[in-house]
Amino acid sequence: AQKVTQAQTEISVVEKEDVTLDCVYETRDTTYYLFWYKQPPSGELVFLIRRNSFDEQNEISGRYSWNFQKSTSSFNFTITASQVVDSAVYFCALDSGTYKYIFGTGTRLKVLA
Amino acid sequence: EAQVTQNPRYLITVTGKKLTVTCSQNMNHEYMSWYRQDPGLGLRQIYYSMNVEVTDKGDVPEGYKVSRKEKRNFPLILESPSPNQTSLYFCASSFKDRFYGYTFGSGTRLTVV
């Protein structure tokens, strides 16, 4: 069975703090893709990053970085020097190529000024 | 502008009255999908379509129908809505390989009374 677990329901940080959002996945497939999406208070869903199962390189994009570890089935997302505009719900998702695309339950991040 | 257009944005209806939520994309995407978002449950896949005339059930298909007669359109049909279908619905599309992740519509907030 496929599953995505985001155990952190809600996180609050003060602006400029670093924060890591956890994502743990389960799949029996050897080829799969992992994604992060952002849902700001306005409600739209925005694609942030995609990783395939053969590429364990970490990725950095500005203040965002992602750490993919197959050994622990995790795909964690770190925001460095958080800002109020980072306040949103963040979803991790798994696509194992069966055309079913599974989302986690999301982590609500609140960045306080 | 590349986008997924959902209509309506808001809908209040009564139990049992058939309704259709439309979804259209202008990116020539093969893959389209419907999700519902409920508090604490994240996004759950209702139906997906890999191409014209090819659809399959997601994790929560009961009470919903879809069709894919044209590549750009993927309407969601509730033949006899019930209050437990009150939710926020998202349509999404992507290329078949889903390399760039989903593009989501703006969402449809449905209330069934």
Side-chain angles (χ1 to χ4, degrees):
Chain A
Q2 296 181 142
K3 191 176 179 182
V4 175
T5 301
Q6 294 181 256
Q8 303 153 308
T9 305
E10 184 169 313
I11 302 174
S12 292
V13 299
V14 176
E15 209 170 17
K16 298 184 184 174
E17 285 185 359
D18 299 346
V19 59
T20 295
L21 310 182
D22 298 332
C23 174
V24 175
Y25 63 93
E26 294 176 31
T27 180
R28 292 197 187 115
D29 294 302
T30 55
T31 301
Y32 53 89
Y33 305 94
L34 295 162
F35 300 83
W36 277 95
Y37 289 84
K38 176 181 180 180
Q39 187 177 42
S42 52
E44 74 272 22
L45 283 150
V46 178
F47 165 73
L48 294 177
I49 191 171
R50 169 198 193 256
R51 260 289 175 263
N52 72 53
S53 52
F54 300 109
D55 181 3
E56 286 193 72
Q57 278 192 338
N58 291 334
E59 176 139 350
I60 297 174
S61 176
R63 296 184 296 105
Y64 294 171
S65 62
W66 292 269
N67 179 250
F68 175 32
Q69 292 196 330
K70 285 178 76 171
S71 60
T72 56
S73 297
S74 65
F75 186 42
N76 296 337
F77 173 27
T78 297
I79 302 174
T80 303
S82 59
Q83 300 176 1
V84 172
V85 293
D86 296 326
S87 297
V89 180
Y90 291 88
F91 290 97
C92 181
L94 167 67
D95 174 0
S96 69
T98 60
Y99 296 103
K100 284 192 176 182
Y101 198 107
I102 308 297
F103 284 81
T105 52
T107 297
R108 181 178 299 278
L109 174 65
K110 292 184 178 179
V111 181
L112 307 171
Chain B
E1 180 189 351
Q3 60 185 359
V4 176
T5 303
Q6 273 181 249
N7 281 299
R9 289 294 307 275
Y10 302 92
L11 178 60
I12 301 174
T13 190
V14 296
T15 299
K17 185 176 180 182
K18 181 179 178 181
L19 66 92
T20 299
V21 184
T22 63
C23 174
S24 181
Q25 50 94 4
N26 62 0
M27 296 164 282
N28 203 34
H29 285 165
E30 296 91 1
Y31 186 85
M32 297 186 75
S33 186
W34 276 101
Y35 287 85
R36 61 178 288 174
Q37 183 178 5
D38 301 289
L41 298 177
L43 287 100
R44 293 179 294 166
Q45 193 172 40
I46 302 171
Y47 270 95
Y48 60 94
S49 170
M50 292 163 279
N51 216 322
V52 177
E53 302 291 1
V54 183
T55 63
D56 206 349
K57 296 177 181 178
D59 293 316
V60 288
E62 296 76 22
Y64 304 95
K65 283 176 58 177
V66 294
S67 68
R68 187 94 181 271
K69 294 183 169 52
E70 305 165 280
K71 198 171 188 179
R72 62 184 293 128
N73 296 323
F74 190 45
L76 179 70
I77 303 158
L78 285 72
E79 295 269 2
S80 183
S82 62
N84 64 12
Q85 292 178 297
T86 292
S87 187
L88 177 59
Y89 292 86
F90 285 99
C91 179
S93 72
S94 73
F95 288 112
K96 193 165 68 171
D97 67 0
R98 301 190 285 292
F99 186 86
Y100 294 109
Y102 275 137
T103 300
F104 280 90
S106 301
T108 295
R109 187 164 292 282
L110 172 65
T111 301
V112 183
V113 298

